[in-house]
Amino acid sequence: MSSPTSPLLEQQIAQLEAQLAQLKKDQSLLQELTARKEELQKELHRVNGHIARVTGKVAPLPAPAPKPSAAKPTPPAAKPVPVATKTAAAPKPTPAPAKAAVQPAANKPTLADLILACLKGAKGKPLTVRQLTDDTMKRGFTTSSKAPYRVVESRVQELSKRGVVMRAKDQPGWVLGKN
């Protein structure tokens, strides 16, 4: 004979179902975040490689580790790689000629040059990073990044720190700095 389910049992079942739904949601979010983390680690690895080639001062990060299996817990965040120090045995990087620092190989303008050209062409009108990205792409900027907007944003921030560009007052966007 089957007995009717008690309200207490029904309440426990509902709680367990809610917990299961939350766990599935959390697992999905974890997978998305793990994929995003790996994407960012790859981008960081590429950027550190570029920095190392240009300055010779920052050691590139090791290649991203393979994906952990579902059974293994996620390892803690990677420790930062220390900046390489100069030693007597380490060869000094040879400085690039001044002309190459301004214009890279094949006379391609740098991203900073393209950003400044866009802002000069705007004649004082503020341009957002999104507009700068579109304009620099039209002017020949190429990148292997899946997020060229972030690359341009990073360069704009660097130019801002040097005073070359500044935020527009009372509106979104960037204008040429006072320097």
Side-chain angles (χ1 to χ4, degrees):
M1 225 172 126
S2 66
S3 64
T5 57
S6 72
L8 182 59
L9 185 58
E10 288 178 8
Q11 184 181 11
Q12 288 176 341
I13 290 172
Q15 286 176 343
L16 289 173
E17 287 175 344
Q19 287 176 350
L20 178 62
Q22 184 63 39
L23 285 173
K24 286 182 180 180
K25 187 177 178 181
D26 290 347
Q27 186 176 14
S28 174
L29 179 62
L30 179 62
Q31 288 174 341
E32 290 175 23
L33 291 173
T34 301
R36 177 75 177 128
K37 177 183 169 186
E38 290 172 2
E39 179 182 314
L40 289 171
Q41 285 176 333
K42 288 177 185 176
E43 180 68 18
L44 181 60
H45 181 71
R46 283 193 296 267
V47 168
N48 278 337
H50 290 295
I51 291 171
R53 283 191 293 277
V54 171
T55 65
K57 292 183 180 178
V58 178
L61 292 175
K67 289 185 178 182
S69 66
K72 294 181 182 176
T74 306
K79 294 181 182 175
V81 174
V83 174
T85 57
K86 291 183 180 180
T87 62
K92 291 184 178 180
T94 56
K99 191 102 173 168
V102 175
Q103 294 289 346
N107 291 331
K108 288 179 99 176
T110 64
L111 178 55
D113 292 337
L114 291 174
I115 291 169
L116 294 176
C118 295
L119 290 172
K120 286 176 186 172
K123 298 179 182 174
K125 178 185 170 203
L127 296 177
T128 64
V129 172
R130 188 74 64 187
Q131 291 168 321
L132 286 169
T133 303
D134 293 340
D135 205 3
T136 55
M137 298 291 260
K138 288 177 188 172
R139 293 174 187 250
F141 171 62
T142 57
T143 180
S144 59
S145 172
K146 292 181 182 176
Y149 164 78
R150 290 186 180 150
V151 175
V152 172
E153 182 179 36
S154 175
R155 187 69 63 227
V156 167
Q157 291 295 332
E158 290 173 13
L159 291 170
S160 173
K161 287 178 183 174
R162 293 188 350 222
V164 178
V165 299
M166 63 184 197
R167 288 202 179 272
K169 293 186 179 181
D170 302 325
Q171 55 186 324
W174 294 88
V175 294
L176 288 173
K178 301 202 178 185
N179 289 349

